């Protein structure tokens, strides 16, 4: 029952009304080009809890945003992931990453971006696939908040929250 209530809370947070930023002011390339940083947390229904810090470097070539993410976890482990987002039009992107199966479609309306993607948590053995459901909200103070819930076979199994800021 606790899992269901947490899941419903996360859904409600993703649907909550947010203070809009000026129309058309939020774009992936606008926020992520150059250096940025983030702090985040991950927790699963199995009790796993991790916190992490991110250093990001974004390069925009006029059509594609290449976004390198360097993770440092609370246990000292490190990881690097690289997103490639192709802009298809105003507020529309297609994205790929080395551990993502296929592409994700990003849709931005006002100050909110939404996207969902299937991830291989064990890419070498091609096992343990989960789906991330991300909602990024650009706040009026310039911080970007990403909250996501993670599902496996359609059931919620984990939640993550990341707060990005520009350097």
């Amino acid at each position: 029952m606790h899992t269901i209530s947490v899941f419903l809370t996360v859904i409600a947070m993703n649907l909550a009304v947010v203070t809009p930023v000026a129309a058309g002011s939020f774009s992936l390339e606008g926020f992520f080009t150059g250096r940025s940083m983030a702090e985040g947390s991950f927790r699963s229904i199995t009790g796993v809890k991790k916190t992490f810090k991110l250093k990001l470097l974004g390069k925009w070539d006029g059509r594609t945003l290449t976004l390198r993410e360097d993770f440092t976890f609370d246990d000292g482990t490190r990881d690097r992931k690289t997103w490639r987002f192709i802009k298809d039009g105003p507020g529309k992107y297609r994205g790929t990453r080395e551990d993502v199966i296929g592409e994700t479609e990003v849709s931005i309306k006002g100050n909110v971006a939404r996207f969902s993607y299937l991830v291989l948590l064990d890419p070498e053995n091609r096992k343990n696939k989960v789906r991330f459901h991300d909602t990024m909200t650009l706040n009026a103070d310039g911080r970007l908040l990403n909250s996501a819930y993670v599902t496996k076979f359609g059931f919620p199994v984990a939640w993550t929250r990341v707060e990005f800021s520009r350097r």
Side-chain angles (χ1 to χ4, degrees):
M1 189 63 175
H2 175 70
T3 301
I4 292 171
S5 65
V6 171
F7 177 70
L8 292 174
T9 301
V10 169
I11 294 294
M13 287 173 32
N14 283 327
L15 296 175
V17 176
V18 292
T19 305
V21 177
S25 64
F26 178 37
S27 68
L28 295 182
E29 68 276 13
F31 188 87
F32 287 111
T33 297
R35 296 190 183 278
S36 54
M37 58 188 163
E39 291 189 15
S41 62
F42 172 89
R43 67 175 202 248
S44 75
I45 61 171
T46 62
V48 172
K49 292 180 184 178
K50 288 187 173 191
T51 59
F52 54 89
K53 292 187 180 194
L54 271 166
K55 290 182 181 177
L56 301 102
L57 178 61
K59 294 184 180 179
W60 173 246
D61 70 6
R63 179 146 192 259
T64 302
L65 173 67
T66 302
L67 183 61
R68 187 182 74 206
E69 303 173 309
D70 289 310
F71 291 83
T72 302
F73 292 92
D74 54 357
D75 65 1
T77 60
R78 296 176 179 267
D79 195 10
R80 174 176 281 175
K81 302 291 184 202
T82 303
W83 278 104
R84 285 177 183 76
F85 293 104
I86 298 170
K87 189 164 191 171
D88 286 334
K92 300 286 183 195
Y93 302 82
R94 287 179 287 125
T96 59
R97 194 173 75 185
E98 57 270 14
D99 60 341
V100 171
I101 299 170
E103 289 183 329
T104 183
E105 292 184 6
V106 181
S107 177
I108 298 177
K109 290 188 176 145
N111 62 324
V112 179
R114 295 184 193 280
F115 53 110
S116 176
Y117 49 96
L118 193 59
V119 174
L120 279 169
L121 293 180
D122 184 8
E124 285 131 22
N125 295 323
R126 302 202 52 82
K127 295 181 181 176
N128 203 6
K129 298 176 192 173
V130 296
R131 179 164 295 279
F132 280 72
H133 305 269
D134 286 50
T135 300
M136 292 181 140
T137 304
L138 180 61
N139 294 324
D141 64 3
R143 291 176 301 123
L144 182 64
L145 179 62
N146 183 19
S147 56
Y149 63 98
V150 183
T151 59
K152 186 168 181 90
F153 305 120
F155 296 102
V157 295
W159 297 266
T160 186
R161 177 181 159 90
V162 185
E163 187 174 307
F164 298 90
S165 59
R166 301 287 306 157
R167 283 195 173 179

